[in-house]
Amino acid sequence: QVQLVESGGGLVQAGGSLRLSCAASGRTFSSYAMGWFRQAPGKEREFVAAISRSVSMRAYADSVKGRFTISRDNAKNTVYLQMNSLKHEDTAVYYCAADSLLRNIASMRYEYWGQGTQVTVSS
């Protein structure tokens, strides 16, 4: 089992940047594909970005391509989401997720989820 704890959220002005972190428990972090998702008020949770176990694959939602970058540090059991050029519509609770079996890392069907961190972008 994997426990995930997100951090790094906060309030930022439009055009600004934030870096989210997700720390994972356990000794097999490198065995998990990792994803970031978000949920805005009144909307369904949506895919943002994902990275494969071997770092050979990354996937991004069209809405964040060119602005967000996902990375991971297997030695620190941590996955990051660097968010640049933030827009008001990026306001949401951001969740990280982990799964050891997914083939489609852009899927919503991750097994383990964190509690989320709030990102608010003021316009």
Side-chain angles (χ1 to χ4, degrees), residues 69-117:
T69 302
I70 188 170
S71 62
R72 66 189 297 162
D73 185 337
N74 287 342
K76 295 182 177 179
N77 283 14
T78 302
V79 63
Y80 305 97
L81 185 68
Q82 178 67 43
M83 305 186 295
N84 298 329
S85 302
L86 282 161
K87 304 175 181 180
H88 177 66
E89 50 264 42
D90 294 319
T91 295
V93 177
Y94 283 72
Y95 300 88
C96 74
D99 197 284
S100 62
L101 299 176
L102 275 180
R103 292 187 177 183
N104 176 12
I105 62 173
S107 166
M108 297 292 290
R109 301 180 68 179
Y110 280 70
E111 182 173 7
Y112 302 105
W113 293 82
Q115 293 299 308
T117 185

